[in-house]
């Protein structure tokens, strides 16, 4: 029966460019069989593992005034920033903004270098001084310098003598202070013993006599106070009576004057009456004054008597306390005596500490004086005979000063922040007119971009530094070639996941348009590849590794026959054919059922339509060089894909 091509519809063109056709053949029962076909094509057979990560810069530079560019976040960055802050940098201009692309040598910002220039001038002055000292030391000392060194020796000798004399004086003073403190302690202890023993009979008799005398004095003062008060009252009463009499006389004289004037007495009589009245008024005034004086004197006498009573009472109280204290042992006196003993003990301890400190100080002073003498002698020797050590020290000082000048010159030059390489500005922390803060003034991301993705432990053995990779950024629809640069040695897996993964870094060869740091990227690393080889879709293989592989070849008339082939690299989409068929050969990849319009593969193990084994590796395992998917994100197989409409269960 002749084969008839019912339809030849190109379904999908995949990596190899092979067209897949549907070919219809009448079945024995009258139902036509539709075949999926493809052509053997020369292409690249590639197998990859896939992971995902985020776009990141290769490095970020921290740029600041006065310091060299450094990697952002490194220890050197913090140290450089700290060094730059010894100089204040007022910002004069900022030429970039965040997101701006810059090239090597571009001036990004400029600051006022006034302080840096001042530091440079100071460092140059230090260098001049160091060079002058080196010149002087190399030439040797002058007579004046030698004389000065000898004077220093004599002065140091005098200080040694004074220090030794001071030490002797300190020892003597310490002995006196300690003896005084010991005597005070002995006296305090004796007083305590006396206080505890109580008063003697003589002390008791004296206390009793003093108390009796004070009591008598108090009684007398009270009696005198009463007498004085009564005397005052009497004086006041007498003065009051005199005043009353004078008042009566005034009244009588006044009445007489009034009566005589009413009766028309003679002028002489009226004048005599007036004179009598004036005399009476004068006497009354004198009596009033005498009464006031009497009261004042009485008050003064009462106050004086009261004071005498108070004094006598105080003396009596003091005598009573003395009597109480001197007739029985006094707890207060014992407590006071005990406190004096404690004070004396503390005084002795303090004197001992002061003596020890003074001795140590005098010893230190003597040692210091001796050291100064030794230094003066050494200086005299060095002055009269220049030593190599001095010149070597001068050379070090000159070298350090030159280094400081060179660093200050660089600092002045770095008042301009210049891009060290091409990159993108990602942070600007300075503003015109303000002083630059500590830390980074500008942060610059530099390429190439890179992606760090996680790959399973089963893929790790297939990866190596230098392998090619494809990086796809879905957000901008770009795929860029890259290269594996780092394979992590520490697992990246965390949490309770049972899949162990490792970080792998891939550097992009170019910077895709529109790609930004932080975008999600898919990384496909090529782990096996055969270039420019003959290949067919993997579904076309029939058989297994034990019995060998075949493909179903369809001739121009639609007849299908099994042809043995030699297989090379096999992926999930393409199989490398090393022998058995040639380029352009049409191979069957599956069948399509017309009853339900669904597509299925006819390569189902040993039960296929054409006999032989299907490509499920069920019997003898996978063919040689077969690469299974092992990437965490799935697998891509560059160079080809499964034919459209076909399946391979």
């Amino acid at each position: 029966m002749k084969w008839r091509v019912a339809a030849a519809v190109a379904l999908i063109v995949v990596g190899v460019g092979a067209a897949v056709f549907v070919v219809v053949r009448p079945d024995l029962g009258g139902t036509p069989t539709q075949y999926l076909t493809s052509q053997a094509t020369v292409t690249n057979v590639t197998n990859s593992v896939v992971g995902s990560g985020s776009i990141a810069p290769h490095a970020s530079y921290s740029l600041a005034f006065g310091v060299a560019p450094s990697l952002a976040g490194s220890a050197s960055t913090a140290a450089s920033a700290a060094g730059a802050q010894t100089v204040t940098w007022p910002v004069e201009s900022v030429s970039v903004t965040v997101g701006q692309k810059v090239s090597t040598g571009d001036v990004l910002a400029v600051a006022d270098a006034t302080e840096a220039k001042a530091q440079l001038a100071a460092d140059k002055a230090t260098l001049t001084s160091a060079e002058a000292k080196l010149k002087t030391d190399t030439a040797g000392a002058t007579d004046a310098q030698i004389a000065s060194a000898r004077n220093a020796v004599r002065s140091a000798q005098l200080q040694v003598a004074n220090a030794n004399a001071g030490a002797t004086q300190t020892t003597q003073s310490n002995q006196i202070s300690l003896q005084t403190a010991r005597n005070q302690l002995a006296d305090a202890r004796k007083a305590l013993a006396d206080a505890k023993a109580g008063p003697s009979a003589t002390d008791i008799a004296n206390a009793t006599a003093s108390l009796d005398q004070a009591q008598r004095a108090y009684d007398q003062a009270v009696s005198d106070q009463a007498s004085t008060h009564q005397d005052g009252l009497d004086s006041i009463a007498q003065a009051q009576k005199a005043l009353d009499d004078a008042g009566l006389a005034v009244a009588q004289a006044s009445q007489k004057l009034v009566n005589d004037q009413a009766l028309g007495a003679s002028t002489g009589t009226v004048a005599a009456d007036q004179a009598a009245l004036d005399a009476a008024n004068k006497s009354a005034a004198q009596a009033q004054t005498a009464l006031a004086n009497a009261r004042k004197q009485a008050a003064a006498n009462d106050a004086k008597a009261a004071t005498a009573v108070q004094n006598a009472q105080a003396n009596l109280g003091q005598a009573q306390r003395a009597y109480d204290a001197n007739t029985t042992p006094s707890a207060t006196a014992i407590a006071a005596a005990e406190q004096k003993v404690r004070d004396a003990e503390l005084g002795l301890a303090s004197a001992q500490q002061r003596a020890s400190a003074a001795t140590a100080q005098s010893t230190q002073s003597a040692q210091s004086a001796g050291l100064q003498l030794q230094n003066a002698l050494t200086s005299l020797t060095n002055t009269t005979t220049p030593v190599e050590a001095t010149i070597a020290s001068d050379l070090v000082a000159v070298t350090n000063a030159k280094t400081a000048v060179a660093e200050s010159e660089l600092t002045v030059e770095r008042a301009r922040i210049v891009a060290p390489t091409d990159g993108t500005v990602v942070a600007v922390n300075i503003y015109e007119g303000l002083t630059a803060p500590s830390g980074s003034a500008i942060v610059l991301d530099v390429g190439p971009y890179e992606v760090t993705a996680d790959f399973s432990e089963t893929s790790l053995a297939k990866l190596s530094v230098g392998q090619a990779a494809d990086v796809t950024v879905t957000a901008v629809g770009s795929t860029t070639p890259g290269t594996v640069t780092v394979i992590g040695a520490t697992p990246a897996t965390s949490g309770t996941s049972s899949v162990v993964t490792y970080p792998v870094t891939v550097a992009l060869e170019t910077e895709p348009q529109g790609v930004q740091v932080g975008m999600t990227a898919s990384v496909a690393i090529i782990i096996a590849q055969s270039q420019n080889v003959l290949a067919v879709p993997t579904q076309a293989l029939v058989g297994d590794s034990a019995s060998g592989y075949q493909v179903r070849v369809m001739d121009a008339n639609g007849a299908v026959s099994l042809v043995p082939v030699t297989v090379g690299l096999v992926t999930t989409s393409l199989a490398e054919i090393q022998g058995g068929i040639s380029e352009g050969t049409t191979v069957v990849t599956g069948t399509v059922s017309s009853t339900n319009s669904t597509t299925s593969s006819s390569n189902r193990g040993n039960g296929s339509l054409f006999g032989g084994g299907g490509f499920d590796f069920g019997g003898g395992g996978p063919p040689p060089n077969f690469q299974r998917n092992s990437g965490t994100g799935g697998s891509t197989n560059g160079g080809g894909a499964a034919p459209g409409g076909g399946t391979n269960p």
Side-chain angles (χ1 to χ4, degrees):
M1 181 181 296
K2 294 183 179 180
W3 296 85
R4 181 170 59 87
V5 178
V9 182
L11 299 179
I12 298 177
V13 178
V14 275
V16 296
V20 179
F21 298 92
V22 177
V23 180
V24 180
R25 178 183 65 85
D27 200 354
L28 296 178
T31 301
T33 301
Q34 296 178 335
Y35 290 102
L36 297 174
T37 64
S38 181
Q39 288 187 334
T41 308
V42 175
T43 185
N44 296 332
V45 179
T46 303
N47 197 34
S48 306
V49 290
V50 179
S52 64
S54 299
I55 296 292
H58 175 67
S60 294
Y61 277 102
S62 172
L63 308 178
F65 293 112
V67 296
S70 58
L71 291 178
S74 65
S76 61
T77 300
S80 298
Q85 289 309 303
T86 59
V87 175
T88 300
W89 296 102
V91 180
E92 293 184 344
S93 64
V94 181
S95 305
V96 293
T97 58
V98 174
Q100 182 175 335
K101 303 289 185 181
V102 297
S103 301
T104 303
D106 287 350
V107 178
L108 310 185
V110 178
D112 183 353
T114 300
E115 285 195 17
K117 291 178 180 178
Q119 182 62 50
L120 174 59
D123 291 338
K124 287 182 177 179
T126 301
L127 174 59
T128 300
S129 176
E131 290 175 338
K133 185 176 185 302
L134 173 62
K135 181 178 179 180
T136 300
D137 291 342
T138 302
T142 64
D143 292 341
Q145 290 172 331
I146 294 174
S148 177
R150 288 173 177 168
N151 288 336
V153 170
R154 286 191 289 272
S155 176
Q157 290 171 336
L158 180 60
Q159 289 180 356
V160 169
N162 290 338
N164 291 335
T168 301
Q169 183 178 0
T170 297
T171 300
Q172 294 173 350
S173 177
N174 289 341
Q175 291 174 348
I176 293 173
S177 297
L178 290 174
Q179 187 59 47
T180 300
R182 293 189 184 100
N183 292 340
Q184 290 175 347
L185 178 58
D187 292 342
R189 287 173 175 170
K190 182 178 183 304
L192 176 60
D194 292 343
K196 290 181 178 180
S200 63
T202 301
D203 292 335
I204 294 173
N206 291 336
T208 301
S210 297
L211 179 60
D212 291 343
Q213 182 180 358
Q215 183 64 52
R216 288 192 297 273
Y218 173 73
D219 293 341
Q220 185 63 46
V222 171
S223 177
D224 292 344
Q225 182 184 32
S227 297
T228 299
H229 182 68
Q230 186 59 49
D231 292 343
L233 292 176
D234 292 343
S235 297
I236 293 171
Q238 292 175 0
Q240 182 65 51
K241 183 177 183 305
L243 178 60
D244 292 343
D245 293 343
L248 179 60
V250 169
Q252 290 174 349
S254 177
Q255 185 62 45
K256 185 176 183 305
L257 174 61
V258 171
N259 292 336
D260 288 343
Q261 288 175 340
L263 294 175
S266 64
T267 302
T269 300
V270 172
D273 291 343
Q274 184 64 50
L277 177 60
D278 292 340
N281 283 331
K282 181 177 180 181
S283 297
Q286 291 174 345
Q288 182 68 41
T289 300
L291 176 61
N293 290 337
R295 288 175 176 172
K296 182 177 179 181
Q297 185 62 44
N301 292 337
D302 284 345
K304 183 176 180 181
T307 301
V309 170
Q310 291 176 351
N311 292 337
Q313 187 176 14
N315 292 335
L316 178 59
Q318 183 176 0
Q320 182 65 52
R321 289 191 293 274
Y323 177 80
D324 294 340
N326 294 325
T327 56
T328 58
S330 173
T332 302
I334 293 174
E338 289 176 341
Q339 182 61 45
K340 288 184 178 180
V341 170
R342 287 192 291 271
D343 292 342
E345 289 173 342
L346 290 176
L348 177 58
S350 178
Q352 290 172 336
Q353 290 178 351
R354 289 195 300 272
S356 177
T359 299
Q361 183 175 1
S362 62
T363 301
Q364 182 178 3
S365 297
Q367 292 175 345
S368 177
L371 181 60
Q372 290 179 356
L373 176 59
Q374 183 62 41
N375 291 338
L377 292 171
T378 301
S379 178
L380 176 60
T381 301
N382 293 339
T383 300
T384 55
T385 307
V387 295
E388 295 181 359
T390 301
I391 297 176
S393 177
D394 292 345
L395 289 172
V396 171
V398 170
T399 300
N400 292 339
K402 288 181 177 179
T403 301
V405 169
E407 291 177 350
S408 294
E409 289 174 341
L410 284 176
T411 300
V412 172
E413 292 178 5
R414 289 166 179 162
R416 300 163 67 249
I417 296 179
V418 179
T421 184
D422 297 349
T424 302
V425 176
V426 296
V428 178
N429 302 319
I430 52 176
Y431 303 91
E432 293 182 6
L434 299 180
T435 300
S438 60
S440 301
I442 296 174
V443 179
L444 186 68
D445 281 353
V446 300
Y449 281 149
E450 60 186 25
V451 179
T452 299
D454 293 340
F455 290 85
S456 68
E457 58 186 338
T458 57
S459 300
L460 199 64
K462 303 171 186 176
L463 304 180
S464 61
V465 173
Q467 282 180 321
D470 288 327
V471 178
T472 300
V473 182
T474 305
V476 297
S478 69
T479 298
T480 305
T483 304
V484 176
T485 57
V486 178
I487 298 177
T490 303
T493 302
S494 61
T496 58
S497 174
S498 60
V499 179
V500 179
T501 61
Y502 289 81
V504 177
T505 301
V506 174
L508 280 65
E509 294 181 2
T510 60
E511 183 176 320
Q513 185 68 27
V515 171
Q516 298 291 334
V517 172
M519 286 185 173
T520 301
S522 175
V523 179
I525 301 176
I526 300 171
I527 58 176
Q529 185 178 39
S530 294
Q531 296 182 333
N532 298 321
V533 297
L534 187 65
V536 298
T538 303
Q539 292 94 325
L541 293 179
V542 178
D544 54 38
S545 59
S547 60
Y549 289 95
Q550 299 171 313
V551 294
R552 299 184 184 91
V553 175
M554 178 179 289
D555 60 19
N557 297 322
V560 177
S561 61
L562 286 170
V563 176
V565 292
T566 303
V567 176
L569 175 62
V570 179
T571 71
T572 56
S573 60
L574 289 177
E576 176 189 358
I577 304 300
Q578 297 177 340
I581 61 175
S582 60
E583 182 179 3
T585 300
T586 300
V587 296
V588 176
T589 60
T591 61
V592 178
S593 173
S594 62
T595 58
N596 54 15
S597 300
T598 59
T599 304
S600 63
S601 171
S602 64
N603 301 339
R604 297 180 178 273
N606 295 328
S608 68
L609 176 64
F610 297 96
F615 186 63
D616 63 357
F617 311 136
N625 302 321
F626 177 76
Q627 303 293 329
R628 295 186 183 276
N629 293 335
S630 56
T632 58
S635 172
T636 64
N637 298 284
T647 61
N648 186 21

